[in-house]
Amino acid sequence: MADEKSLKFAEADSVKKFAFFGVAVSTIATLTAIIAVPMLCLHMQNVQSGLQEELVFCKAKNSDLKSEFFKLDKINSSILELIINLSIY
């Protein structure tokens, strides 16, 4: 009888340690998730807004570049017409 009681107390003590470890790990995981998930969302939002700004900048530069290409095309066609006209005469 005494042997059985001591075995039950030893098992209860083992289960207590296991339960405490489980509660401690789950508490740490929950606190980490509470802190990490909002930080991750904030980081993703910052990256997205930075990329959006870069995209707007690139679109503006692309527009400027297109206008420069059209100017160069007009100049090249004018020079080509001039060369053709000079070669005819």
Side-chain angles (χ1 to χ4, degrees), residues 24-54:
V25 168
S26 65
T27 302
I28 291 170
T30 302
L31 290 176
T32 301
I34 288 172
I35 293 170
V37 170
M39 287 178 64
L40 181 64
C41 289
L42 181 66
H43 176 68
M44 287 182 357
Q45 185 179 15
N46 285 338
V47 168
Q48 192 268 340
S49 67
L51 287 174
Q52 191 68 30
E53 290 174 9
E54 291 289 327

Side-chain angles (χ1 to χ4, degrees), residues 6 16 23 35-36 57 75 82:
S6 65
K16 279 183 189 178
V23 169
I35 293 170
F57 175 77
I75 291 171
L82 181 64

Side-chain angles (χ1 to χ4, degrees), residues 7-23:
L7 283 174
K8 284 188 178 184
F9 280 124
E11 185 181 352
D13 191 41
S14 173
V15 170
K16 279 183 189 178
K17 289 178 183 176
F18 183 72
F20 178 77
F21 180 72
V23 169

Side-chain angles (χ1 to χ4, degrees), residues 49-87:
S49 67
L51 287 174
Q52 191 68 30
E53 290 174 9
E54 291 289 327
L55 184 64
V56 168
F57 175 77
C58 288
K59 283 181 179 179
K61 288 296 178 182
N62 186 25
S63 175
D64 292 343
L65 192 61
K66 279 184 182 178
S67 66
E68 289 296 320
F69 278 135
F70 287 133
K71 286 179 189 176
L72 281 173
D73 190 41
K74 284 183 180 181
I75 291 171
N76 282 341
S77 63
S78 298
I79 291 173
L80 187 61
E81 283 180 22
L82 181 64
I83 291 172
I84 290 171
N85 287 337
L86 287 177
S87 66

